Amino acid sequence: MKDIKPNETKVIVLGGLGEVGKNMYCITHKDDIIIIDAGISFPESDLPGVDYVLPDFTFLKENQDKIRALFITHGHEDHIGAIPFLLNQIQIPVIYAPNQAKELISVKLEDRNIRYDNLVVYTEKDKIKFGEMEVEFFRTTHSIPDSHGISIKTPNGRIITTGDFKLDLTPIGPMANLYKMACLGHDGVDLLISDSTNALNEGFSTSESKVDNALNDMFDRCRANRIIIATFASNIYRLKHIFETCYKHNRKICIFGRSMENNINISINGGYINHKELLISADEANHLKPNEVAILCTGSQGEPLAALSRISNGTHRQIKLRPDDIVIFSSSAIPGNALSISKTINKLCLKGVKVYTTAALADLHTSGHANEDELKLMIRLLQPKYLMPFHGDYRMLKRHANIGVDCGIPKENTFVLKNGDSLSLLNHTIKKAESMPGEDIYVDGNRIGEIGGAVLKDRKMMARDGILVVIINVDMKHHELLIKPNITTRGFILINENEQLIRKIEEKSESILKRELSNNKSTFATIKSNLTTELYSYINEITGRKPIILPIIIDIKKEVKTEV
């Protein structure tokens, strides 16, 4: 922020670029900062032990006194998941959110025992001012109710973010407000920050109403069977028309999965889902005829602890598969989850049930994000001078920028950025500005930001090659090794089946230790360092493996002292 001009407006990206998730960025003007979204992403397999990935809050910590509000576009985890962690570190004066997102945030804060009393619901009729910035909203269509785009009017020009959206002309819920988008475009939009998730997909996305028809057909076709449906707990409109379909076919609904239960309860209380009377317990479901019940559960991505995975394993305490069950995956595979999903499907098939997925019946799922032609329509409606694609990996962002060029935006007016980058808006002209911290912050249990590259490297090594512990009893006063080193391992080899190898490692350790102890100047630190270095090379040479080596030195003659 050192180079900021007094009257300049800046867009600072903290998350959501080069990735699908962790969306968060700031708009600053003079002494006012507003934040748009505060999302998390979930760790992939290369982050063992990490629970969540957060944006870097450094900029906000350094400018806390200028923060005026946090605005939420909609209630998905990649847009609200970081709020509890943000509130624990930074004072946010007020959070504005649409109704569904507000309820989801409230549950999230309650679960973490965080009290926050300034959570305000907005609608697209509202206008909110902070200094010289004015914020207003427009309704969009997404897979969750109350999704909005946000317009920020500043003295230097108007900035619009779409949030996550699609342009579904026959949606299950309300239509996107195309008229207001066109009016904003007519008034003049300088910068459009737009969802890029499906930029690589041609044409228009499938309408949610087609999925409704496909599910109706499945229920007609499987009148005699018990139906189990796995879908995203956050896809409220999908859950809504599953309820409607069950109502039409006289089926009760049994829910499994805590996130599914929370989202459905919030949606029923908010009036987004009807027919609460259809809900029954697991015990009631087990006593109904197969054609009288549908089971709605989490686990569409093959998550090992989710309800469907436990059902497929036969380890679910309340529900057991029956040979004539029908399992429907009303979801698409998130990148990286295909193998887990395939394993779950194979287990289901081995139990004799029939499984239907989007690969076999394409209309069982549709995305909540805009395809190429919808992105073009959004650009045409808003007519921006500049385009900054967000919410997507690099190839998605790049393709979206090219779509903007196809729609008449000069190439030099498109910005494919990375987390930590910023844009400067001055007198309706935008330039790329300086970068700032935009690193991933890892959450591991109750620890935030303490897990770095070195720890993750150790974890990967342990996962790949295991750990070898050398327990050493010495008399440091007389520089004497009292007994042979004791070797134990986890994840490296089975000791009982590799006695010869263990004996070689013990002998090598003993040789190194006697040499080190013969040097009267040796300390715990030098003994540990030299033992670790030489054993590491020795074990790698004879086994090709690189376990983590952990020496534990115990000085017997003195007060018992252990160093690791």
Side-chain angles (χ1 to χ4, degrees):
M1 298 290 289
K2 293 178 182 178
D3 300 329
I4 193 167
K5 298 181 176 64
N7 296 316
E8 189 177 42
T9 302
K10 296 198 79 171
V11 179
I12 299 163
V13 184
L14 303 183
L17 297 182
E19 59 191 350
V20 177
K22 198 159 61 68
N23 298 282
M24 189 177 195
Y25 45 99
C26 309
I27 313 296
T28 76
H29 185 78
K30 292 187 176 177
D31 288 330
D32 299 314
I33 297 175
I34 62 172
I35 309 166
I36 310 292
D37 288 331
I40 58 171
S41 61
F42 294 98
E44 296 185 3
S45 58
D46 62 339
L47 296 175
V50 173
D51 298 313
Y52 309 108
V53 185
L54 304 177
D56 191 328
F57 299 149
T58 302
F59 167 74
L60 297 175
K61 290 176 183 177
E62 293 173 350
N63 295 275
Q64 182 167 289
D65 59 321
K66 299 179 181 179
I67 297 172
R68 302 294 172 249
L70 165 62
F71 288 91
I72 300 299
T73 57
H74 65 284
H76 279 157
E77 283 294 297
D78 56 340
H79 295 260
I80 67 170
I83 291 175
F85 305 101
L86 182 67
L87 292 178
N88 277 332
Q89 299 181 54
I90 298 169
Q91 289 187 344
I92 305 296
V94 57
I95 299 175
Y96 291 95
N99 186 63
Q100 177 81 354
K102 182 257 184 186
E103 295 300 325
L104 290 167
I105 294 167
S106 296
V107 170
K108 189 177 293 296
L109 296 180
E110 185 179 333
D111 285 347
R112 292 183 174 270
N113 295 315
I114 298 173
R115 181 172 178 177
Y116 186 79
D117 298 323
N118 211 8
L119 189 53
V120 178
V121 173
Y122 71 73
T123 71
E124 64 174 353
K125 296 178 181 178
D126 294 319
K127 288 188 178 181
I128 302 164
K129 288 201 71 174
F130 297 97
E132 296 182 28
M133 292 192 284
E134 182 179 78
V135 182
E136 60 182 309
F137 315 93
F138 56 92
R139 187 175 61 245
T140 59
T141 304
H142 190 40
S143 56
I144 190 171
D146 290 336
S147 296
H148 288 77
I150 298 177
S151 165
I152 304 98
K153 187 177 180 182
T154 78
N156 289 306
R158 186 188 298 273
I159 300 164
I160 284 183
T161 176
T162 63
D164 292 357
F165 80 98
K166 65 186 292 184
L167 294 177
D168 190 341
L169 302 181
T170 54
I172 296 297
M175 266 286 296
N177 194 337
L178 304 181
Y179 175 74
K180 188 164 187 179
M181 296 178 201
C183 289
L184 288 168
H186 181 267
D187 290 344
V189 175
D190 291 274
L191 175 64
L192 173 61
I193 303 171
S194 185
D195 177 11
S196 306
T197 312
N198 280 351
L200 301 174
N201 298 344
E202 296 181 351
F204 277 80
S205 60
T206 302
S207 171
E208 190 66 35
S209 61
K210 284 195 173 183
V211 179
D212 195 11
N213 294 334
L215 283 173
N216 262 309
D217 291 343
M218 286 296 299
F219 273 67
D220 284 334
R221 193 186 313 174
C222 306
R223 287 183 182 275
N225 307 83
R226 186 173 67 168
I227 295 176
I228 301 172
I229 304 175
T231 191
F232 297 113
S234 60
N235 194 334
I236 306 302
Y237 285 128
R238 184 70 42 77
L239 301 178
K240 174 183 172 66
H241 63 62
I242 289 171
F243 268 70
E244 298 291 342
T245 304
C246 287
Y247 178 75
K248 292 176 189 175
H249 291 81
N250 297 313
R251 288 182 184 256
K252 298 294 185 181
I253 299 173
C254 183
I255 302 170
F256 292 104
R258 185 167 179 269
S259 59
M260 186 79 76
E261 290 177 8
N262 283 342
N263 281 345
I264 286 175
N265 287 334
I266 288 170
S267 300
I268 288 173
N269 293 336
Y272 305 106
I273 292 178
N274 300 317
H275 308 300
K276 180 181 180 180
E277 73 279 2
L278 297 180
L279 293 174
I280 58 172
S281 68
D283 186 59
E284 290 174 296
N286 284 326
H287 288 89
L288 289 174
K289 295 177 181 177
N291 63 349
E292 294 176 342
V293 66
I295 294 171
L296 188 53
C297 63
T298 55
S300 65
Q301 299 303 300
E303 306 96 314
L305 299 180
L308 185 61
S309 293
R310 288 183 284 126
I311 291 170
S312 69
N313 289 330
T315 57
H316 200 288
R317 292 184 292 109
Q318 296 170 297
I319 291 292
K320 302 298 178 186
L321 286 172
R322 302 168 183 171
D324 59 349
D325 282 343
I326 301 294
V327 178
I328 298 171
F329 281 76
S330 185
S331 59
S332 59
I334 294 173
N337 291 345
L339 182 59
S340 298
I341 296 170
S342 179
K343 287 179 179 178
T344 300
I345 292 172
N346 283 332
K347 289 175 184 176
L348 291 166
C349 291
L350 283 169
K351 294 285 197 303
V353 306
K354 287 185 179 178
V355 180
Y356 293 91
T357 69
T358 53
L361 297 170
D363 288 344
L364 286 176
H365 176 70
T366 182
S367 173
H369 300 271
N371 282 8
E372 179 179 331
D373 284 352
E374 293 155 274
L375 297 177
K376 290 178 180 176
L377 180 53
M378 180 63 79
I379 291 169
R380 294 299 189 187
L381 286 168
L382 293 172
Q383 305 174 58
K385 288 174 61 179
Y386 298 87
L387 173 66
M388 189 194 93
F390 88 109
H391 199 284
D393 59 32
Y394 178 78
R395 59 185 181 143
M396 298 169 185
L397 304 178
K398 184 66 177 175
R399 177 62 192 136
H400 196 173
N402 291 337
I403 290 170
V405 173
D406 292 342
C407 291
I409 299 174
K411 186 174 182 179
E412 61 271 18
N413 286 12
T414 63
F415 298 96
V416 178
L417 305 180
K418 64 181 185 299
N419 293 337
D421 285 347
S422 64
L423 296 176
S424 165
L425 173 59
L426 186 63
N427 296 325
H428 305 281
T429 299
I430 296 178
K431 295 179 181 178
K432 186 176 176 182
E434 78 277 11
S435 296
M436 53 196 67
E439 300 297 320
D440 291 343
I441 304 299
Y442 302 126
V443 179
D444 182 351
N446 294 322
R447 295 176 296 176
I448 302 174
E450 296 178 23
I451 306 302
V455 173
L456 289 172
K457 182 180 178 182
D458 283 349
R459 288 181 179 180
K460 291 173 188 177
M461 288 175 65
M462 283 189 282
R464 184 179 64 246
D465 292 317
I467 184 169
L468 183 139
V469 180
V470 186
I471 301 173
I472 308 153
N473 294 294
V474 298
D475 177 352
M476 287 298 289
K477 183 176 181 180
H478 301 96
H479 288 263
E480 180 182 355
L481 180 65
L482 299 176
I483 59 173
K484 285 187 176 183
N486 178 265
I487 305 294
T488 186
T489 78
R490 290 291 184 272
F492 172 47
I493 54 172
L494 285 175
I495 293 177
N496 293 339
E497 296 179 6
N498 294 273
E499 292 179 1
Q500 187 177 354
L501 175 59
I502 292 296
R503 197 156 44 246
K504 286 182 177 180
I505 296 173
E506 285 176 348
E507 291 171 356
K508 182 67 174 178
S509 301
E510 183 177 10
S511 172
I512 297 167
L513 289 165
K514 285 182 175 178
R515 186 196 71 213
E516 290 297 317
L517 288 167
S518 67
N519 181 355
N520 291 333
K521 294 182 180 179
S522 291
T523 63
F524 279 108
T526 58
I527 292 172
K528 282 172 54 180
S529 175
N530 292 336
L531 178 64
T532 301
T533 302
E534 293 188 44
L535 267 189
Y536 185 82
S537 298
Y538 177 72
I539 292 171
N540 184 35
E541 182 181 339
I542 61 176
T543 68
R545 303 276 295 279
K546 299 177 180 179
I548 287 182
I549 297 171
L550 182 62
I552 299 177
I553 306 175
I554 303 171
D555 188 347
I556 299 296
K557 289 297 178 78
K558 296 180 180 179
E559 180 183 354
V560 176
K561 180 178 179 183
T562 303
E563 287 200 12
V564 177

